[in-house]
Amino acid sequence: MCLQAPAEAAPGSAPRPHDHGISRRRFLLGAGAAALATALPAPALAAAVPRAAGRSLRDLTHVFREGFPVYGGDPPERRTLVTIPDDGFYQQEWTFAEHSATHMDAPGHFIPGGRLSPQITLPELFVNAVVIDISRRAARNPDAVVTVRDLRRFEERFGRIPRDAGVFMYSGWESRVHDPEAYRNAGPDGLFHFPGFSIEAVEWLLENRDITSIGVDTLSLDPGNSQTFAVHHTLLGADKYGLENLANLATIPGRGATAIVGLIPWEEGSGGPARVIARW
């Protein structure tokens, strides 16, 4: 979720290869080489992907694209800096808020003094994925939330939520991702209406299970109609992190997968776009 967060932009003042006789080599060694496009998530894989060394893989990441729905502020924008026909190589420049597309909310996103992107440790980027499926309820009620009862029912079926878990909500909301208005789903009350976690469920997880993170296939860890962002404050205040706009959660096991969170260590980052991959 992004509440009018400042935009991250690749430098707009990078010299062009033909400006003042600047060579391609000098351009590559200069500011242009830092264009963010080289580090952004690649397209999400289809549900059926090759097995790697006897294991299954799924990409839980949406394509980072221009116009991707955001909670607030401007959606991502891009422009072409140079082209192969004109310059001998191709490169883009992107402008976007940190909390765009599939991304992490680090503790410092809401908590003063909370840890920022470079401070998220490597072990925290490997989590035992747990998928809580509320898609049937969400299809009837866009304000549906993950409840303590959902967590208990999961454990009755799959066993105890493991240590170092990433507890992910699957609501089916990703089917709306190519329609920004449907994805945000603003109502006559002026609030968004999409699923998230209940504060009771998050408190239960923090008090009773040793989790690392939670994640959602919507724009916010809190349900869209929240005006207090209690889930963000509580989870991030416990020094955990959140993942938003996850994809393909219906294609991985309810339990048994490991999710790898490829977060870029953005300087002073409050989180940021991430490539999230499940393996089992």
Side-chain angles (χ1 to χ4, degrees):
M1 186 196 67
C2 179
L3 300 177
Q4 302 290 340
E8 290 282 342
S13 58
R16 306 300 194 269
H18 301 308
D19 290 346
H20 310 295
I22 294 173
S23 70
R24 177 179 182 274
R25 176 174 175 79
R26 285 185 61 195
F27 180 75
L28 288 172
L29 293 175
L36 295 176
T38 60
L40 293 173
L45 301 178
V49 296
R51 298 174 70 85
R55 306 290 293 271
S56 293
L57 298 171
R58 293 292 186 275
D59 198 327
L60 306 184
T61 315
H62 285 291
V63 174
F64 194 105
R65 59 181 171 81
E66 190 172 34
F68 194 99
V70 293
Y71 191 95
D74 296 324
E77 297 179 354
R78 66 184 174 91
R79 70 185 183 96
T80 300
L81 281 178
V82 291
T83 67
I84 294 173
D86 291 340
D87 307 289
F89 62 106
Y90 168 63
Q91 186 167 248
Q92 298 182 102
E93 176 183 80
W94 286 82
T95 302
F96 58 91
E98 286 180 320
H99 297 263
S100 296
T102 303
H103 67 270
M104 176 190 285
D105 286 4
H109 182 37
F110 268 72
I111 307 303
R115 288 188 300 152
L116 301 174
S117 301
Q119 297 167 307
I120 303 299
T121 66
L122 294 182
E124 291 175 281
L125 299 178
F126 295 79
V127 298
N128 294 310
V130 165
V131 181
I132 308 298
D133 186 345
I134 66 165
S135 58
R136 289 187 179 181
R137 197 160 72 243
R140 301 189 303 268
N141 175 18
D143 297 323
V145 293
V146 175
T147 66
V148 174
R149 185 180 182 187
D150 292 321
L151 301 175
R152 293 189 182 279
R153 283 184 170 178
F154 173 90
E155 293 195 331
E156 289 172 3
R157 180 179 179 185
F158 294 101
R160 184 183 176 93
I161 292 171
R163 185 177 181 178
D164 299 324
V167 182
F168 301 153
M169 175 195 79
Y170 171 64
S171 70
W173 208 254
E174 67 182 295
S175 65
R176 300 173 175 234
V177 75
H178 291 285
D179 182 341
E181 295 307 313
Y183 198 61
R184 287 189 292 264
N185 199 32
D189 55 4
L191 303 176
F192 295 147
H193 293 274
F194 53 74
F197 273 79
S198 70
I199 183 59
E200 293 81 10
V202 171
E203 289 175 339
W204 187 88
L205 287 168
L206 293 173
E207 292 170 5
N208 297 284
R209 300 293 181 266
D210 188 9
I211 67 168
T212 294
S213 67
I214 67 172
V216 295
D217 57 356
T218 60
L219 280 166
S220 176
L221 306 175
D222 287 275
N225 61 3
S226 173
Q227 299 182 71
T228 63
F229 307 108
V231 169
H232 277 84
H233 285 287
T234 300
L235 181 81
L236 305 184
D239 200 33
K240 310 297 183 180
Y241 68 81
L243 296 169
E244 295 171 337
N245 299 313
L246 291 170
N248 298 328
L249 290 174
T251 69
I252 70 173
R255 175 176 172 162
T258 298
I260 303 164
V261 182
L263 175 71
I264 298 170
W266 310 86
E267 184 178 17
E268 297 295 320
S270 63
R275 183 77 177 267
V276 185
I277 300 170
R279 183 183 184 191
W280 70 97

